Amino acid sequence: PGETDVSIRPGWFYHPTEDERVRGVADLVELYFTSVGRNSKLLLNVPPTREGLLSDVDVSRLAGMRERLDSMFRRDLTADAGTTWTPTNRGGILDVDLGETRRFSIADLREDIGQGQVISSYVLERERDGAWLPVCEGTTVGFRKLDRFDPVEARRLRLTIREAVDTPRRVRVSLFA
């Protein structure tokens, strides 16, 4: 898997003059979505001070990031959903019934990569008045793919695996407001 190596500060080492330039909470959350949310490991450098401690500024930003992510992912709207998985030779369809109309703006897709990553194209759609409307689409899923979009409402969703290098296994879909 890919690895995203970045620093919370402008450089790789601690300098007190850079305290005002430490990444903000919103930037750290965006970094999470563009690394972990794209099937990559996030290796975030947080350099210690000369005393071997972490800067209060850095710790505060990390705590803010954790708090924001916890808030975003607090309640999985698919926890009690009914699902049906129909695999095909090089694709598949996962139907999701939330039981009631829900509003959401984040889709968290997870492929079973125990035997390798196989998905190369997908689309997530929502049903509205009998028609299927795209919510988000992409290429690889891998261990974790996070898609953010303007809030939408739906009771029924459909994840279609358009292409895969082998028969895909059931994909886990979670939705968050």
Side-chain angles (χ1 to χ4, degrees):
E3 183 174 274
T4 304
D5 300 334
V6 294
S7 184
I8 195 168
R9 294 178 160 267
W12 291 100
F13 301 98
Y14 175 80
H15 300 288
T17 57
E18 295 177 345
D19 281 353
E20 297 298 318
R21 297 174 55 205
V22 173
R23 289 178 184 262
V25 171
D27 186 40
L28 289 169
V29 169
E30 179 66 19
L31 180 60
Y32 183 86
F33 273 87
T34 58
S35 58
V36 174
R38 291 186 183 159
N39 194 32
S40 176
K41 295 177 185 176
L42 174 58
L43 179 56
L44 182 61
N45 176 56
V46 183
T49 65
R50 289 184 183 265
E51 294 77 29
L53 303 172
L54 297 180
S55 160
D56 289 341
V57 173
D58 297 10
V59 170
S60 172
R61 301 290 167 80
L62 290 170
M65 174 191 179
R66 178 75 271 157
E67 189 175 298
R68 178 98 36 98
L69 290 172
D70 285 347
S71 174
M72 295 171 100
F73 296 108
R74 179 165 289 126
R75 184 169 175 245
D76 180 358
L77 301 175
T78 64
D80 298 320
T83 61
T84 305
W85 170 244
T86 308
T88 61
N89 185 34
R90 299 277 182 182
I93 297 174
L94 179 69
D95 287 300
V96 180
D97 186 340
L98 298 173
E100 64 185 22
T101 300
R102 305 271 175 126
R103 184 177 174 91
F104 54 93
S105 61
I106 300 171
D108 184 346
L109 310 177
R110 298 184 188 217
E111 184 177 355
D112 175 3
I113 61 169
Q115 297 174 357
Q117 177 178 318
V118 300
I119 296 172
S120 53
S121 177
Y122 69 89
V123 61
L124 180 66
E125 301 167 293
R126 66 186 173 115
E127 184 184 39
R128 182 173 170 194
D129 300 326
W132 289 100
L133 305 173
V135 174
C136 59
E137 59 186 295
T139 54
T140 60
V141 173
F143 178 74
R144 189 171 195 190
K145 177 65 166 60
L146 294 171
D147 286 317
R148 289 188 289 182
F149 38 83
D150 290 335
V152 296
E153 291 183 348
R155 175 187 171 150
R156 293 188 57 225
L157 298 127
R158 177 172 69 190
L159 175 69
T160 302
I161 308 303
R162 294 173 170 162
E163 281 184 64
V165 297
D166 199 354
T167 302
R169 291 164 296 285
R170 184 185 191 105
V171 176
R172 179 177 157 208
V173 175
S174 297
L175 302 171
F176 301 92

